Amino acid sequence: MRVLIVEDNAILAEGLKLLLTTAGETVVASLGDADGLIEEIERHGPDLVIADVRLPPTFRDEGLRAVIEARRVRPELAVLVFSQYVEEVYAQELFAAGGSGVGYLLKDRVAKVEEFLDALHRVAAGGTVMDPDVVRQLLTRKQHPISRLTARETEVLALMAEGRNNRDIAERMVVTEGAVHKHVGRIFAKLDLPEGDAGHRRVLAVLAYLGS
């Protein structure tokens, strides 16, 4: 099996490469970000792409967007998203894109090499693999609008529910106030809160969170 790795953590990327090579697989390329992924796929013709969700420069969803675009160009390409977090929205978007040969696993829950390699082979063969925690959260929260939020947006909303303003949230999350403002805007949009007074929308968003 020919594998292309997209992982910004150099140690994890090297670990994956060593693991796969030892297992007899071929790692055709390893990228630290999603830039040029389509070109690398065209150049090396991998059977499967392993990609992290959060990649430079913003560490939000670059990896997911890249593999969805890659499958639009090459629908037969198998992809395994290997994330550190349960990202219900990301998982929904990945599987909603359709097609076979898709996987979503959590890094911390893969305890055995054999299980990981088995998952890779199943995805490469056109199967579907999803971490049980992701399945559970999709099933329990899929009907609530809060489930549309990313982990980062949910974190922002939780701090909003504590009564913190954007400046306080930025300090706690060690990001800029502008970044928080963008998160808040996306939260309003995903919760379908009508345009109008920002303070009123903030209250409605917090009420939705508390009721989830």
Side-chain angles (χ1 to χ4, degrees):
M1 179 167 53
R2 295 167 57 80
V3 182
L4 193 156
I5 298 170
V6 189
E7 170 61 63
D8 65 297
N9 184 313
I11 294 177
L12 181 55
E14 284 301 312
L16 280 172
K17 185 176 180 180
L18 178 62
L19 184 155
L20 292 169
T21 303
T22 302
E25 313 298 349
T26 301
V27 177
V28 296
S30 181
L31 306 178
D33 57 48
D35 289 344
L37 175 59
I38 301 296
E39 290 78 5
E40 290 298 299
I41 290 172
E42 294 298 332
R43 179 179 299 122
H44 299 288
D47 302 306
L48 180 142
V49 171
I50 300 174
D52 193 2
V53 170
R54 299 180 179 184
L55 294 170
T58 68
F59 296 95
R60 289 203 297 268
D61 57 2
E62 287 86 348
L64 178 72
R65 299 292 172 200
V67 295
I68 289 176
E69 175 61 17
R71 282 173 59 85
R72 190 188 64 78
V73 176
R74 268 189 63 184
E76 75 281 7
L77 177 68
V79 298
L80 175 71
V81 171
F82 201 31
S83 176
Q84 192 169 357
Y85 308 97
V86 178
E87 307 277 16
E88 298 100 325
V89 175
Y90 295 154
Q92 287 175 334
E93 292 184 23
L94 177 65
F95 288 95
S100 59
V102 183
Y104 190 118
L105 293 179
L106 298 180
K107 294 175 181 177
D108 291 343
R109 285 180 52 88
V110 177
K112 296 181 179 179
V113 170
E114 295 78 10
E115 292 178 357
F116 179 67
L117 293 174
D118 178 64
L120 288 186
H121 284 282
R122 281 189 283 148
V123 171
T128 300
V129 175
M130 191 185 296
D131 186 276
D133 271 2
V134 179
V135 174
R136 185 160 44 249
Q137 293 204 27
L138 287 175
L139 290 175
T140 57
R141 301 189 64 184
K142 67 178 183 178
Q143 299 299 327
H144 199 286
I146 292 295
S147 65
R148 302 170 187 165
L149 305 184
T150 66
R152 198 66 164 167
E153 291 161 354
T154 303
E155 185 179 355
V156 170
L157 185 51
L159 291 170
M160 288 167 57
E162 293 179 7
R164 304 185 185 282
N165 59 33
N166 286 4
R167 180 179 298 177
D168 292 338
I169 295 172
E171 290 177 354
R172 282 186 165 252
M173 297 178 67
V174 197
V175 297
T176 65
E177 194 170 344
V180 174
H181 181 76
K182 290 180 181 177
H183 279 308
V184 172
R186 283 193 289 271
I187 291 169
F188 290 163
K190 290 183 178 180
L191 296 182
D192 298 323
L193 298 178
E195 295 284 349
D197 178 66
H200 183 59
R201 297 172 87 192
R202 203 174 181 94
V203 172
L204 292 177
V206 169
L207 290 175
Y209 172 73
L210 295 177
S212 63

